[in-house]
């Protein structure tokens, strides 16, 4: 019993901030409806220490619809998958718990309503594409 409790405390203490993190799973976004097409997915496109990662899902409309329509379809799809996505200053945001019996770190999702500019570390996505970001920080 002492060994079991010691291992549990060791896991909690080694997490950096004392909370465990679940990596983002593809099934938090996928499968997409037939009106949307996945261009690329990266389960840890940006990360840091303590197991935190930001996943990126690049999505375009399968029928050639513009970015505004693609974002509207994505928001509808994400809500159907249980994400409480709400608009806030031209960004759709949502946070949800990952479950479990311990105090797990929630996942946070955001999606820009407008076209994203390129940054020094990353090129801009195609103009009609929308990027879903999910982190476990």
């Amino acid at each position: 019993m002492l060994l079991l409790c010691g291992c549990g405390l060791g896991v909690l203490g080694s997490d950096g901030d004392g909370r465990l993190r679940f990596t983002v799973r593809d099934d938090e976004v996928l499968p997409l409806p037939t009106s949307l097409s996945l261009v690329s997915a990266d389960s840890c496109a940006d990360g840091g220490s303590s197991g935190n990662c930001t996943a990126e899902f690049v999505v375009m409309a399968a029928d050639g619809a513009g970015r505004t329509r693609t974002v509207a379809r994505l928001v509808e799809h994400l809500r159907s998958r249980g994400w409480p996505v709400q608009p806030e200053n031209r960004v759709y945001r949502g946070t949800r718990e990952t479950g479990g019996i311990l105090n797990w770190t929630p996942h946070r999702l955001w999606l820009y309503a407008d076209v994203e500019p390129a940054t020094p570390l990353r090129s801009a996505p195609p103009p009609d594409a929308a990027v879903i970001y999910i982190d476990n920080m």
Side-chain angles (χ1 to χ4, degrees), residues 5-110:
C5 290
C7 289
L9 290 174
V11 168
L12 288 174
S14 67
D15 189 44
D17 68 350
R19 298 191 318 176
L20 299 177
R21 301 175 197 276
F22 277 125
T23 57
V24 175
R25 298 177 324 272
D26 290 347
D27 68 354
E28 293 186 65
V29 172
L30 304 176
L32 293 171
T34 57
S35 63
L36 297 170
S37 175
L38 183 66
V39 175
S40 68
D42 189 340
S43 61
C44 194
D46 187 17
S49 61
S50 301
N52 60 333
C53 277
T54 301
E56 295 180 8
F57 299 87
V58 181
V59 178
M60 292 182 74
D63 60 1
R67 187 172 194 294
T68 302
R69 185 70 186 128
T70 302
V71 169
R73 290 175 181 173
L74 269 176
V75 168
E76 181 181 331
H77 169 67
L78 292 167
R79 287 177 177 156
S80 76
R81 306 256 335 143
W83 284 99
V85 182
Q86 296 298 322
E88 177 185 315
N89 298 326
R90 305 296 299 156
V91 178
Y92 289 92
R93 298 180 190 278
T95 301
R96 71 179 189 182
E97 299 297 324
T98 56
I101 58 172
L102 298 176
N103 189 17
W104 305 104
T105 302
H107 286 180
R108 292 176 184 90
L109 175 142
W110 67 98

Side-chain angles (χ1 to χ4, degrees), residues 110-130:
W110 67 98
L111 167 68
Y112 293 97
D114 299 321
V115 176
E116 298 176 49
T119 65
L121 299 176
R122 174 182 344 185
S123 61
D128 287 342

